[in-house]
Amino acid sequence: MASTSLLQSTSTSFAGVRLPCRSSGASRVGISSLSVKASAGTAVFVDKSEAETVSRLKTSYLEKIVPLLKEEFAYTNILEVPKIEKIVVNCGIGEASQNAKGLDAAINELALITGQRPVKTKAKTSIAGFKVREGMTLGIAVTLRGNVMYSFLDRLINLALPRTRDFQGVNPNSFDGHGNYSIGFRDQSVFPEIKPELVGKARGMDVCITTTAKTDKEAYKLLALMGMPFREGSGPSTVVRKKKLKSHHFDSRSRTRKY
């Protein structure tokens, strides 16, 4: 069993919890340093090797999923294998924009879910019909990369989605045609970090998974191998996008016939 030690600094703060520690106690106990993690609002001392372990989803991707994708799609270079580039989590705050406490509550909830503090998204233009002024805070967003991204995706697939009411699988047609996938949640309380009895108002959120896949078929296979519970008996449909019309298409002079 690994030896233990109190923290060397005078105090350590994490997840909103501040723990007083004295360096003099370490010399009396005579034990080495420990890593600290938060669990349900309490401090848990864990072995340092466990704290530095790479996300299991990332390990599974590197050891199992990459060889399967390389064999199925006949990639000649390992860099061609699609991977998840980033995950963007958006949350609209609605009436909370007029309430400072509601905005702080929404920020804290999204920070608990993602493990990263979100940023505020502001309106670029004023819209009188929606009572929106330029510079007004309309929502919050988080961009996840690296190990934090894999950790969030692991909890999303294995904890949040199965807790959704009447869950029958996610829609496989939510790809954008470029290998990116989006999921919408009506209630954030499906994540175990959020306690429903402490949340005043249910808030929704959008999760956008950006991949390096060139086609939706490759991205679908990547997410399916990672454990994404797609709806049975269906697959990604081919999206036919209309050509964007330019100004000269609407010019009345160009539509007149010349004899």
Side-chain angles (χ1 to χ4, degrees):
M1 181 177 180
S3 57
T4 58
S5 161
L6 296 178
L7 301 179
Q8 301 299 329
S9 60
T10 56
S11 62
T12 301
S13 59
F14 62 97
V17 181
R18 192 172 184 85
L19 299 177
C21 300
R22 296 180 179 178
S23 58
S24 59
S27 59
R28 293 198 302 265
V29 180
I31 46 185
S32 61
S33 62
L34 266 186
S35 299
V36 182
K37 68 179 181 179
S39 176
T42 60
V44 180
F45 290 87
V46 298
D47 185 36
K48 187 176 181 179
S49 60
E50 180 184 351
E52 295 179 352
T53 302
V54 182
S55 173
R56 61 175 183 175
L57 187 60
K58 183 177 181 179
T59 304
S60 177
Y61 168 77
L62 296 175
E63 296 179 356
K64 301 178 181 179
I65 299 177
V66 169
L68 292 174
L69 291 175
K70 191 175 180 180
E71 180 181 357
E72 180 173 352
F73 295 99
Y75 296 121
T76 57
N77 191 338
I78 193 173
L79 297 177
E80 294 178 345
V81 179
K83 62 181 179 180
I84 298 180
E85 186 178 5
K86 64 180 179 179
I87 296 179
V88 181
V89 184
N90 302 301
C91 178
I93 56 177
E95 299 177 355
S97 60
Q98 307 297 331
N99 185 4
K101 292 184 178 180
L103 178 59
D104 292 339
I107 292 176
N108 293 333
E109 290 172 9
L110 193 58
L112 283 175
I113 293 174
T114 60
Q116 184 173 312
R117 187 170 180 81
V119 297
K120 300 176 183 179
T121 56
K122 301 181 181 295
K124 295 182 179 179
T125 58
S126 301
I127 305 176
F130 293 97
K131 298 180 179 180
V132 175
R133 296 188 302 273
E134 183 179 357
M136 178 184 294
T137 302
L138 299 179
I140 52 181
V142 176
T143 302
L144 305 176
R145 291 183 174 89
N147 293 335
V148 179
M149 174 188 68
Y150 282 103
S151 177
F152 172 77
L153 184 61
D154 192 1
R155 289 183 286 110
L156 172 70
I157 294 174
N158 298 302
L159 294 177
L161 290 177
R163 296 181 61 182
T164 305
R165 180 178 297 180
D166 299 331
F167 181 69
Q168 298 179 356
V170 295
N171 187 6
N173 296 323
S174 296
F175 290 92
D176 65 345
H178 302 283
N180 305 318
Y181 188 72
S182 300
I183 308 174
F185 290 90
R186 294 183 178 179
D187 191 358
Q188 294 180 353
S189 62
V190 295
F191 287 88
E193 294 85 359
I194 302 298
K195 296 182 179 180
E197 61 273 11
L198 300 180
V199 178
K201 182 179 180 181
R203 295 186 179 89
M205 57 186 290
D206 296 324
V207 180
C208 303
I209 304 174
T210 303
T211 69
T212 58
K214 297 180 180 178
T215 62
D216 292 345
K217 183 178 179 181
E218 299 176 39
Y220 174 84
K221 189 65 176 180
L222 170 64
L223 295 178
L225 291 175
M226 284 187 168
M228 184 68 71
F230 288 106
R231 201 169 299 161
E232 294 183 358
S234 58
S237 59
T238 304
V239 179
V240 179
R241 300 187 179 275
K242 296 182 179 179
K243 184 179 179 181
K244 186 176 180 180
L245 300 179
K246 297 184 179 180
S247 59
H248 67 272
H249 291 97
F250 302 96
D251 189 3
S252 59
R253 297 178 182 178
S254 62
R255 290 183 295 178
T256 57
R257 294 184 177 180
K258 296 182 179 180
Y259 297 97

